[in-house]
Amino acid sequence: MVGIYRKATGPAPLIEAIDIAASGGRLDVSRFPPGSSPPDIMRIHAYFKKGRGATAARLAGAIASGRAVNHETLASAAHVGYDTAAKLVDYLGPLIKARREHSQDLKMTPEVVYRWCGEHAPYILSWCRRNGYSDIATRITATPADDRERDAPAG
């Protein structure tokens, strides 16, 4: 591997990288960093594939899709029991800590997990779609009808 192309940068850098590679050139490491995250960082897909990872993936997918805002809606959206949803930190906290994406000095809370799922939403939703959890992997967005309802005068 000679470099990483980040999809979020759009198609132009991809075309440029292909042109550079096809002509035998080297990719600029400031724009196309080599390799991936350090080998000692827990991979999300590896965590989701083992032990309680399937449940962790469903919980993360429900949050990333925008379907969950509390334990009750999380349980419904992820198709798990309320008690399981209430243990959200137990399911996803170890992954977040293993990836060193939350200070070890701070308490792991549901809010931290919700923030983390939001930050990783594109990957989590993609992983869910590729691994049989497409029922929760569609992001919820507001519709014009929702906006009209919200903005309508009461009465």
Side-chain angles (χ1 to χ4, degrees):
M1 180 180 349
V2 295
I4 301 292
Y5 161 69
R6 306 274 182 223
K7 289 191 285 186
T9 62
L14 175 61
I15 294 167
E16 179 186 352
I18 292 169
D19 288 342
I20 292 169
S23 66
R26 295 176 90 35
L27 299 178
D28 177 3
V29 295
S30 67
R31 296 190 56 226
F32 304 98
S36 58
S37 57
D40 63 328
I41 297 292
M42 168 70 71
R43 302 294 193 268
I44 296 171
H45 70 89
Y47 187 82
F48 285 173
K49 285 283 195 179
K50 66 179 183 132
R52 296 168 23 147
T55 301
R58 291 193 74 77
L59 295 170
I63 294 168
S65 71
R67 297 171 189 269
V69 296
N70 57 34
H71 296 330
E72 186 177 345
T73 56
L74 178 57
S76 175
H79 309 293
V80 299
Y82 181 87
D83 290 343
T84 299
K87 295 176 186 168
L88 172 68
V89 170
D90 295 337
Y91 280 93
L92 288 162
L95 172 62
I96 297 167
K97 285 182 180 180
R99 292 178 55 82
R100 297 191 293 261
E101 293 182 343
H102 181 68
S103 172
Q104 303 295 329
D105 299 332
L106 298 175
K107 182 178 179 183
M108 182 65 62
T109 65
E111 292 82 3
V112 169
V113 175
Y114 273 81
R115 175 193 51 79
W116 184 88
C117 291
E119 289 175 357
H120 293 281
Y123 179 82
I124 292 168
L125 294 174
S126 174
W127 189 95
C128 286
R129 284 190 295 271
R130 292 188 323 267
N131 290 276
Y133 303 115
S134 57
D135 58 324
I136 60 168
T138 303
R139 191 180 283 273
I140 299 296
T141 58
T143 64
D146 294 335
D147 293 339
R148 283 192 301 273
E149 241 176 63
R150 183 191 66 230
D151 297 337

